[in-house]
Amino acid sequence: DAGITQSPRHKVTETGTPVTLRCHQTENHRYMYWYRQDPGHGLRLIHYSYGVKDTDKGEVSDGYSVSRSKTEDFLLTLESATSSQTSVYFCAITRGIWGNTEAFFGQGTRLTVV
Amino acid sequence: EDQVTQSPEALRLQEGESSSLNCSYTVSGLRGLFWYRQDPGKGPEFLFTLYSAGEEKEKERLKATLTKKESFLHITAPKPEDSATYLCAVQTSTGNQFYFGTGTSLTVIP
C-alpha cells in the first residue's frame, strides 16, 4: 500500500461541466501521475508531476489540466467534460528522486459523462 | 514508436493447468519491464520488475522472465484466486513514462 487515496471513487457528470478529481498521497513522493484506462487501450498517461508546480503532458492530455500546489495532492481537471472522457482514472506514484521505479496505483475513479 | 503487445487477450485454465502469458515490446531503450495484476474495480497491483535480458523473478506460483524482445509470465499450477487481468508495462530510458499493454484476462476454473 503506497498510501494513495483518490476521490471521488465514482462520479456522474453532465457534458460541458468542469470536473476535478483528487489524488492524495501520504508518503511525500516526488513523482505523481494520472492515467486513464479504457477497454482496448490499456492505461494511458494524461499528465504527470515531478514536484510542486512542476507538471508535464502525457500522450492523451487534450481536454485535461492538472495542478500540484502541495507535494501530497495532485488534481486532475476536465475543463469541459465530454462523453469521450468517460473512463476509469488512476493516480499513481513512483519512488525515488528520479521516479524511475515501479509505479503504485490508487483504487481509481470511475467517471461517467452523460 | 514505443509499443507493448500482450497475448492472449483472454485465457481460461483449469485449476492446476500451467501456462504462460506473453508481453512483447518495441521501445527505443528499455529501462525496465513491469508486471501488474488487476482485479475488477481495483487499481493495478505491482508484481515484478525486470531490468535486463535473462533476468527472472518468482513469487508463489508466478515467474516472470525477460528477453530482448519479450517477457513471459509463467503461471504454475494456478488456483481460482489467480484469476485477474495481468498487465505488462515498459519504462523507457528516455523518460519516466510507462507504456502499458492491454492486458491478459486470466480465468482459472476450479
Side-chain angles (χ1 to χ4, degrees):
Chain A
D1 184 0
I4 302 168
T5 304
Q6 291 185 232
S7 59
R9 293 293 314 280
H10 302 272
K11 186 168 181 67
V12 180
T13 192
E14 292 186 351
T15 300
T17 61
V19 177
T20 296
L21 308 183
R22 180 179 182 242
C23 178
H24 178 78
Q25 59 145 332
T26 60
E27 298 183 351
N28 228 31
H29 298 294
R30 182 180 173 200
Y31 281 82
M32 299 183 76
Y33 308 77
W34 277 108
Y35 285 87
R36 61 178 290 174
Q37 187 174 39
D38 305 288
H41 287 280
L43 284 150
R44 292 179 292 174
L45 182 66
I46 306 171
H47 284 278
Y48 70 98
S49 170
Y50 46 97
V52 172
K53 297 194 170 126
D54 292 322
T55 65
D56 206 350
K57 295 179 180 180
E59 62 178 308
V60 291
S61 59
D62 287 349
Y64 300 95
S65 62
V66 289
S67 66
R68 193 166 178 201
S69 58
K70 298 186 288 184
T71 300
E72 58 266 36
D73 289 326
F74 191 31
L75 304 181
L76 176 71
T77 297
L78 288 65
E79 292 140 9
S80 177
T82 68
S83 58
S84 64
Q85 292 175 313
T86 292
S87 186
V88 181
Y89 292 85
F90 288 100
C91 175
I93 61 96
T94 53
R95 292 173 169 157
I97 189 167
W98 302 116
N100 54 349
T101 66
E102 56 273 8
F104 293 87
F105 289 83
Q107 293 287 71
T109 295
R110 181 172 295 276
L111 177 68
T112 303
V113 183
V114 298
Chain B
E1 181 180 316
D2 298 326
Q3 207 165 5
V4 179
T5 303
Q6 290 188 247
S7 62
E9 287 188 19
L11 182 63
R12 288 172 64 90
L13 299 173
Q14 289 292 136
E15 185 172 0
E17 179 188 0
S18 301
S19 188
S20 296
L21 314 182
N22 177 263
C23 172
S24 62
Y25 60 91
T26 308
V27 294
S28 51
L30 180 71
R31 175 176 284 163
L33 185 139
F34 306 85
W35 282 99
Y36 289 85
R37 170 190 171 124
Q38 187 173 24
D39 293 300
K42 296 194 173 182
E45 175 189 344
F46 170 70
L47 293 173
F48 303 110
T49 307
L50 301 165
Y51 290 108
S52 56
E55 191 174 358
E56 299 183 353
K57 293 272 180 74
E58 281 190 71
K59 179 180 180 180
E60 296 180 355
R61 295 176 292 282
L62 301 177
K63 183 168 88 170
T65 62
L66 181 65
T67 72
K68 287 189 177 179
K69 292 187 178 181
E70 58 191 348
S71 176
F72 293 94
L73 185 65
H74 306 279
I75 303 177
T76 302
K79 298 182 177 181
E81 53 261 42
D82 294 322
S83 297
T85 296
Y86 291 86
L87 304 175
C88 166
V90 298
Q91 190 180 44
T92 68
S93 55
T94 55
N96 285 2
Q97 184 165 347
F98 293 82
Y99 295 92
F100 281 83
T102 52
T104 294
S105 175
L106 174 66
T107 303
V108 181
I109 304 159

